[in-house]
Amino acid sequence: MSSPPRFGANPRSRARLFGLMLIGAGLFLLGVVALILIPKIKPPSASAQARSVVPVKVDFPAPNLELNDLQGNPVSLADLRGQVVLVNNWATWCPPCRAEMPTLEAYYQAHRGQNFTLVAIESGDSAENVGAFVDQLNLSFPAWLDPGGASLQGFSNPALPNSYVIDADGSAILGWTGAIDSETLEKYVTPILEEGL
């Protein structure tokens, strides 16, 4: 009885083994080259994830807006003269508008004692829907209704959200379009509030 042939004794087996070794070495080299040549992809940092618009200086008289609050009472920007006012134009259906509301609420709570108010002017929804939204997020700053888009026309900015800082004399001095974060509010708006103290 003859013993079984040893692996590699057959020329075909040796050729197959050599071929597999070449393929393995080639794959190994491809992996090394990929690690060297392909840059490592890093996850975005927290600051890169928290995108925020940057306010710009503006200089024009604030529009003379006369609207209604959620209870149907007449309200006007002119009634707020003497305070620094942050006007935020928004809509209940607008995702970035909705997303920035907790940030605006936190900023309002932190600075409301500095001769400052924030007014959220909702563009077009009913008092019922706006009231439900305000209650859902426990917003404490005033919300005004703007069914005809007077604020968007008055500020000449139809994009939502958009915001303007109005000084105590009634002039718009800072504006931005898009959602903002708390760090940016502190950097750009807080110094305006501190000037008035």
Side-chain angles (χ1 to χ4, degrees), residues 96-157:
C97 302
R98 297 169 67 94
E100 77 173 344
M101 283 297 167
T103 298
L104 295 176
E105 174 65 21
Y107 188 81
Y108 176 69
Q109 288 297 329
H111 297 282
R112 63 190 299 180
Q114 293 179 269
N115 199 34
F116 166 74
T117 195
L118 191 155
V119 176
I121 301 179
E122 204 285 335
S123 298
D125 210 343
S126 68
E128 248 180 12
N129 289 343
V130 177
F133 180 84
V134 165
D135 290 344
Q136 179 187 6
L137 291 184
N138 295 316
L139 302 178
S140 60
F141 48 77
W144 296 358
L145 303 171
D146 188 12
S151 186
L152 299 179
Q153 293 171 20
F155 285 103
S156 299
N157 188 348

Side-chain angles (χ1 to χ4, degrees), residues 84-104:
V84 175
V85 180
L86 171 54
V87 171
N88 175 252
N89 291 300
W90 68 290
T92 55
W93 51 262
C94 163
C97 302
R98 297 169 67 94
E100 77 173 344
M101 283 297 167
T103 298
L104 295 176

